[in-house]
Amino acid sequence: MAAITASMVSELRQSTGAGMMDCKAALTETGGDIEAAVDWLRKKGLAKAAKKAGRVAAEGLVGIAASGNRGVAVEVNSETDFVARNDQFQALVREIAGVALGGATELEALKAAAYPGGGSVEAAIANAVATVGENMTLRRVGALAVETGIVASYLHNAVADGLGKIAVLVALESTGNAEALAAIGRQVAMHVAATNPQGLDAHSIPADVVERERAVLAEKARASGKPENVIEKIVESGLKTFFKEVALLDQPFVHDPGKSVAQAVKEAEKAAGAPITLKAFIRFALGEGIEKETSDFAAEVAAAAGKA
């Protein structure tokens, strides 16, 4: 029997869209014959994923799993919201989040990680595609951890335990009371879900975002006839306002707009009995950044009528 090489497995994956372990099994069963392996996968229903891989998957679910000082968030997309309400799909997303919490916190590592019940995460997704008949993709994974403290979580528009449309994780470093940390952590996570900050503080805002805002402020000041020697002062003042809008620690706290998030966390130290440092956050909103296909139904009908 011909030796099964990595390049053979890769070639079969590219032509069928099936999972790595399924491709290896197919090649083993067919003695390394690529064409026969394709047929083997088709008979098993595992090659269907390839035909659906080009379809836009912008629905689905985000899932979270947290335990003490660690937490993860994943996004698994499907083509329709109908599939996202399917028990099988929900179980898939929940299991993937659990695998990520177990240590597979990089996307490719998570895809290759062992899935409960056998095979890899990638193979489990391919099997679900073949069963359900829709394209599905594991789009991203994020993880937070602190040495001492907690990772709090919040799900907006939750559809089931650990599953929803917006997932937020917040890492708080502290030796304080766990219950008090969980309370302020959840409040901050809800705040993040509502305001979608672009960074933890002013220094965390991407440089290109700051420069773009700086250019806009300068142009507005210049257009209003302000002299060049005062434009820089106007820009710096405007940037301070901008950071209060987009930097988490500077934002007005949604639960008490009279104080900033940083002030709210500082005040929570009394209940916690120790200093608290808000180290990081993750916010996954389902489908953000994915270009959804749009169709003109009237135009489609007219086109069909013209062909009739």
Side-chain angles (χ1 to χ4, degrees):
M1 186 181 78
I4 308 304
T5 65
S7 62
M8 292 168 66
V9 174
S10 177
E11 180 181 346
L12 186 58
R13 287 187 68 192
Q14 290 179 5
S15 64
T16 65
M20 179 177 65
M21 297 307 296
D22 291 319
C23 288
K24 186 175 181 180
L27 288 165
T28 300
E29 288 292 327
T30 59
D33 187 325
I34 296 289
E35 291 186 5
V38 171
D39 290 340
W40 188 90
L41 288 167
R42 289 181 63 194
K43 291 173 184 177
K44 297 287 186 181
L46 298 174
K48 290 183 179 180
K51 296 181 179 179
K52 309 193 189 306
R55 304 209 301 236
V56 175
E59 298 296 338
L61 290 169
V62 288
I64 54 175
S67 177
N69 63 341
R70 299 182 302 119
V72 296
V74 299
E75 179 179 356
V76 183
N77 299 120
S78 61
E79 292 180 51
T80 66
D81 184 59
F82 177 77
V83 166
R85 297 195 298 270
N86 178 278
D87 289 341
Q88 180 184 350
F89 181 79
Q90 292 182 5
L92 175 71
V93 179
R94 191 177 289 111
E95 292 285 13
I96 291 174
V99 173
L101 187 63
T105 56
E106 298 293 333
L107 185 59
E108 293 306 315
L110 180 55
K111 289 179 180 179
Y115 186 80
S120 65
V121 166
E122 188 173 42
I125 295 172
N127 290 337
V129 171
T131 301
V132 177
E134 275 197 15
N135 185 26
M136 299 177 193
T137 58
L138 171 56
R139 185 184 180 204
R140 52 181 170 166
V141 56
L144 292 180
V146 290
E147 289 189 11
T148 305
I150 68 161
V151 173
S153 63
Y154 171 70
L155 270 172
H156 189 64
N157 288 338
V159 300
D161 184 36
L163 306 171
K165 302 295 184 180
I166 299 177
V168 177
L169 297 172
V170 172
L172 298 177
E173 192 168 73
S174 177
T175 58
N177 176 270
E179 188 173 334
L181 292 177
I184 185 62
R186 180 172 173 78
Q187 286 190 331
V188 173
M190 292 175 71
H191 171 100
V192 171
T195 63
N196 190 20
Q198 296 184 41
L200 182 65
D201 53 27
H203 301 293
S204 303
I205 307 301
D208 61 324
V209 174
V210 176
E211 287 308 307
R212 186 164 59 248
E213 184 67 18
R214 182 186 297 277
V216 169
L217 291 168
E219 186 58 34
K220 286 175 64 177
R222 198 169 286 114
S224 66
K226 296 292 189 296
E228 290 293 326
N229 63 338
V230 300
I231 286 179
E232 184 59 28
K233 292 181 180 179
I234 294 174
V235 169
E236 292 305 315
S237 176
L239 284 176
K240 290 180 181 179
T241 301
F242 173 69
F243 290 137
K244 289 181 180 180
E245 296 172 352
V246 301
L248 174 58
L249 289 173
D250 294 332
Q251 288 179 326
F253 195 37
V254 294
H255 300 280
D256 186 353
K259 64 185 70 169
S260 67
V261 171
Q263 290 171 328
V265 172
K266 183 67 177 177
E267 289 181 7
E269 293 179 350
K270 182 177 181 180
I276 302 172
T277 302
L278 204 171
K279 298 291 289 185
F281 71 91
I282 289 174
R283 182 185 188 274
F284 280 3
L286 178 67
E288 60 187 349
I290 298 176
E291 287 191 21
K292 298 183 180 182
E293 292 180 339
T294 58
S295 61
D296 186 334
F297 182 69
E300 290 178 4
V301 171
K307 294 178 181 179

